[in-house]
Amino acid sequence: MARRNGFTLVELVIVIVLLAIVATISVRFVALSTGGAIDTGARQQRALAGVVISEQVTRALREALPTSVRTNGSCIEWMPTVAASNYLDLPRGSNPDSFEAVPLAGGQSANGRIVVYGYGGDLYNPSSPGPISPPATVPGGSSPVTVTFDGGATHRFNTNSPEKRFYVVSEPVTFCQSGRFLYRYSNYGIQSGIGASLSPAMPNRQVLAATLQANSLNFEVMPPTLQRGAVVAFEYVLEDTDSGETMPVRQEVQIRNVP
């Protein structure tokens, strides 16, 4: 009688167990590989977000007038520089409403507040005499131009610039953290305190980042001196809401403007 070839029940069970072990290891390996790829992608996204946020803050602060930068830690405020030139003579007389100046580069015009020197008073407490004027207009031209204060306003500056330099600045801008969000505020006017009355309405408030760890943003300002401009150091922590993984970021910005 011919012998029949086949598997015993024991052999079949052993094969099934071995296949199950191999399948479990394979699934686990694939899961770990996939999880590692996802974690790596998330870290790369956080690193890219850190670069973008830091670059946005850096570029914005480099346009600031050094003497206008102030902070309370989680918020920083400054007046962006629109243009700069040299004056020929500061406003004089009992009610001065204009002064003569060298034309702006390219003969362009500009509108904003005029700041002379900026070290002799509080830019956020406008007064006459003082370092910052009411809104003014610098006309375009190729010969000495007459800078006039808008609306018939008058102003006297309380000090001279060593280089006879003046700056045209726009209204203040503030970067401030609230929860996980970093906001940019504008068009709120000059206020005595940082963040005293910041409007939550668009377009006065814009979202710059939404992945910050709560209360992690901190600004430090080293005021300008006669030898160097202001230096701003800021740090924050980016946080993944799913994994809880964090990435600290720190950067410094030097604001190079002369008095």
Side-chain angles (χ1 to χ4, degrees), residues 28-247:
R28 183 62 177 168
F29 175 79
V30 172
L32 290 175
S33 300
T34 303
I38 294 175
D39 291 342
T40 300
R43 294 188 188 101
Q44 290 176 341
Q45 288 294 328
R46 282 196 301 276
L48 179 59
V51 171
V52 172
I53 295 170
S54 297
E55 187 65 18
Q56 285 182 315
V57 176
T58 298
R59 289 190 178 188
L61 289 176
R62 281 178 178 165
E63 297 178 354
L65 184 72
T67 53
S68 71
V69 182
R70 61 178 183 170
T71 181
N72 61 4
S74 61
C75 299
I76 190 167
E77 185 176 29
W78 73 96
M79 296 180 184
T81 302
V82 176
S85 186
N86 297 88
Y87 59 83
L88 300 179
D89 198 4
L90 288 180
R92 298 184 182 278
S94 57
N95 295 301
D97 58 1
S98 63
F99 64 92
E100 299 296 308
V102 177
L104 300 179
Q108 297 181 353
S109 62
N111 295 91
R113 295 176 182 267
I114 306 298
V115 177
V116 174
Y117 201 54
Y119 294 88
D122 184 4
L123 298 181
Y124 294 92
N125 184 23
S127 60
S128 181
I132 186 169
S133 77
T137 299
V138 183
S142 57
S143 60
V145 296
T146 301
V147 181
T148 56
F149 303 125
D150 298 343
T154 61
H155 184 77
R156 295 175 64 90
F157 295 99
N158 59 343
T159 186
N160 293 309
S161 165
E163 300 295 331
K164 289 191 173 182
R165 191 80 165 162
F166 75 88
Y167 292 94
V168 184
V169 299
S170 60
E171 294 300 307
V173 174
T174 295
F175 283 170
C176 196
Q177 181 181 9
S178 177
R180 295 178 53 83
F181 294 89
L182 174 61
Y183 293 106
R184 179 186 186 274
Y185 296 88
S186 59
N187 301 324
Y188 54 84
I190 294 180
Q191 301 177 4
S192 58
I194 302 175
S197 179
L198 299 177
S199 173
M202 293 291 285
N204 295 331
R205 185 176 78 169
Q206 301 171 327
V207 177
L208 295 184
T211 57
L212 272 64
Q213 187 181 69
N215 302 319
S216 65
L217 181 62
N218 184 62
F219 290 98
E220 296 178 4
V221 177
M222 288 178 280
T225 67
L226 295 179
Q227 287 76 36
R228 61 158 176 81
V231 177
V232 178
F234 61 94
E235 58 184 359
Y236 56 92
V237 177
L238 296 175
E239 182 179 33
D240 190 319
T241 55
D242 295 327
S243 65
E245 190 172 355
T246 60
M247 185 184 76

